[in-house]
Amino acid sequence: MKKFGFPLFGAPEAKLKHAQNLLKNGKTRRGIKQLHVLATAGNAEAQFMLGELYLADQDVPMNGHEALRWFRQAAGQNHAKACHRLGVLSHMGFSPSAGEQVTVFDMTLRQGKPDHAEALSWAERAVEGGDFDGMVLAAHLLTQGPETLRNIARGRELYQRAAEGGNVQGLYGHGVTLLGAARTPEERSRAVAFIQQAATDGLPDAELMLGTILEYEGGKDAQAFSHFMKAATQNHSVAQMKVGVAYYQGRGVERDVSKAETWLRKAAQSGEVEAIALVGDINLQGDGVAPNFLEAHSWYRRAVEAGHVGAAVTLAQLLYNGMGCETDHAEAKRLLDFAADHGNEKAIKLLQLLETRSAQSRS
């Protein structure tokens, strides 16, 4: 017998599969209803699926607190993937206490400080369930997290376990840790092989690392550029910046300022501060055409707001000399003070020069 479009009887696995098929075929309302029935009855997989849907704004409106509620219920039944998801959210700073009161209108999680200890706790629970992503998260925290949590040997072990399970992040992490410990060409080659496998499996971080390794070796700019481009086309912002710099400098590829600016703008839009400053440099230098001071000012200002010291020095010089703008000595000095406070030698020398000029004008 059926009612409301889904089986009343049968194994939970069959009901879960039916709910998945309903969602896949666009019958969202019925699929969500069956998931809720299963989740409320205590099915951990359904609870996890609901959490994923609420978190991804998929089929149901995004509701971070509902996502957390269902993840916690699934994790309470030792659902490994739910434990991993809670670890990731804690690592990102999205982890209000279980008892926090939330209004029905408050659907968005507020990002706070990362809770690395809680993240590791959840990750270790995911590891107990054999979840490879949980192993990678735990390994990351154990090798790169706060000193109080670090256990390098345990982290390396977990990376290796994840790699042996074919997890792409595990392959990459295992390769990077092996590379850091390599002392012979054979050990280095073995480490790079893991990173290459991760790249083959589509991980942009691995492509970036391979390009960086080749760049460091020297004389392999074209090969490095190829790896950077593969990662850049997967929207890896650091790789996009690398591609932009390569085009601008003609390293491993024919020099093309227009393509350089295009890729640097892509990286800048993703928040790469160095790329923001470099776009300012391109507009200031002109490179065969008249400098675009208005654009340069705008990009340098963005870079300064993001804390880029070099951009502050350049912008200060433009403002002091009235290049593309009205002269503003006060703002120029403020920018130089900012850069000098961060140890920039050029800013320190310019401030000394300004002080000397000021003293001479008073005498």
Side-chain angles (χ1 to χ4, degrees):
M1 183 175 77
K2 291 187 177 182
K3 188 177 182 181
F4 303 122
F6 59 86
L8 284 178
F9 306 107
E13 292 80 6
K15 295 179 180 179
L16 191 66
K17 184 66 175 177
H18 184 61
Q20 291 173 311
N21 287 334
L22 288 171
L23 292 172
K24 184 178 179 180
N25 294 324
K27 299 176 181 178
T28 305
R29 191 171 181 179
R30 289 163 58 191
I32 294 294
K33 185 169 184 176
Q34 176 146 345
L35 279 182
H36 268 284
V37 169
L38 289 166
T40 303
N43 184 284
E45 184 63 23
Q47 291 167 347
F48 173 71
M49 287 179 61
L50 275 178
E52 291 284 84
L53 292 175
Y54 277 117
L55 193 65
D57 196 16
Q58 180 182 342
D59 296 323
V60 294
M62 179 179 285
N63 189 325
H65 293 285
E66 274 294 281
L68 275 179
R69 183 169 75 87
W70 288 115
F71 286 144
R72 285 195 179 106
Q73 289 196 34
Q77 301 186 68
N78 297 317
H79 189 286
K81 290 189 179 300
C83 291
H84 167 253
R85 181 64 69 208
L86 288 170
V88 171
L89 290 170
S90 297
H91 184 47
M92 296 172 64
F94 295 108
S95 182
S97 63
E100 181 176 317
Q101 296 298 311
V102 180
T103 70
V104 294
F105 301 105
D106 188 9
M107 299 182 179
T108 304
L109 289 174
R110 295 181 179 85
Q111 188 169 16
K113 292 183 179 180
D115 190 332
H116 301 296
E118 183 180 359
L120 180 58
S121 176
W122 284 118
E124 289 286 13
R125 287 184 60 180
V127 170
E128 291 172 8
D131 184 72
F132 294 128
D133 289 327
M135 294 177 194
V136 170
L137 177 58
H140 171 76
L141 291 165
L142 290 167
T143 57
Q144 300 181 47
E147 289 289 344
T148 54
L149 298 180
R150 290 194 184 184
N151 184 332
I152 303 300
R154 166 75 171 158
R156 289 176 176 172
E157 174 201 341
L158 290 174
Y159 270 137
Q160 183 173 351
R161 285 176 59 186
E164 289 170 350
N167 180 277
V168 65
Q169 290 283 357
L171 288 165
Y172 175 66
H174 186 46
V176 170
T177 55
L178 287 176
L179 187 63
R183 295 294 179 267
T184 66
E186 292 75 20
E187 289 175 343
R188 185 179 180 283
S189 294
R190 181 168 177 266
V192 171
F194 281 101
I195 299 171
Q196 287 174 329
Q197 183 60 57
T200 299
D201 290 348
L203 186 68
D205 281 337
E207 293 287 3
L208 176 67
M209 177 59 75
L210 291 173
T212 303
I213 291 170
L214 292 166
E215 187 179 50
Y216 178 79
E217 290 178 352
K220 300 179 180 179
D221 289 338
Q223 294 169 267
F225 178 82
S226 176
H227 287 292
F228 292 147
M229 180 59 82
K230 287 177 183 178
T233 54
Q234 296 180 68
N235 296 318
H236 195 296
S237 59
V238 175
Q240 290 171 339
M241 184 172 68
K242 288 279 193 179
V243 168
V245 170
Y247 271 122
Y248 193 66
Q249 297 179 347
R251 293 184 59 183
V253 67
E254 185 176 351
R255 190 168 189 267
D256 190 319
V257 177
S258 177
K259 288 182 178 179
E261 185 170 3
T262 296
W263 282 105
L264 288 170
R265 281 176 179 264
K266 287 178 183 290
Q269 288 168 1
S270 296
E272 291 297 330
V273 180
E274 190 63 34
I276 296 171
L278 286 170
V279 176
D281 290 343
I282 289 176
N283 281 280
L284 178 62
Q285 293 165 9
D287 209 334
V289 298
N292 188 334
F293 289 112
L294 186 62
E295 276 283 293
H297 276 261
S298 175
W299 285 99
Y300 284 138
R301 183 67 66 184
R302 283 181 58 186
V304 171
E305 290 171 355
H308 195 285
V309 175
V313 175
T314 304
L315 183 57
Q317 291 174 289
L318 295 177
L319 291 168
Y320 188 85
N321 294 299
M323 299 175 68
C325 62
E326 293 185 7
T327 301
D328 190 337
H329 290 178
E331 177 64 3
K333 185 177 184 307
R334 186 190 72 79
L335 290 167
L336 289 175
D337 284 335
F338 162 76
D341 287 343
H342 286 78
N344 186 277
E345 293 185 5
K346 187 173 183 179
I348 294 170
K349 290 179 180 179
L350 286 172
L351 283 170
Q352 291 171 345
L353 179 60
L354 292 180
E355 182 61 31
T356 300
R357 289 181 180 176
S358 178
Q360 289 174 345
S361 67
R362 290 195 299 267
S363 61

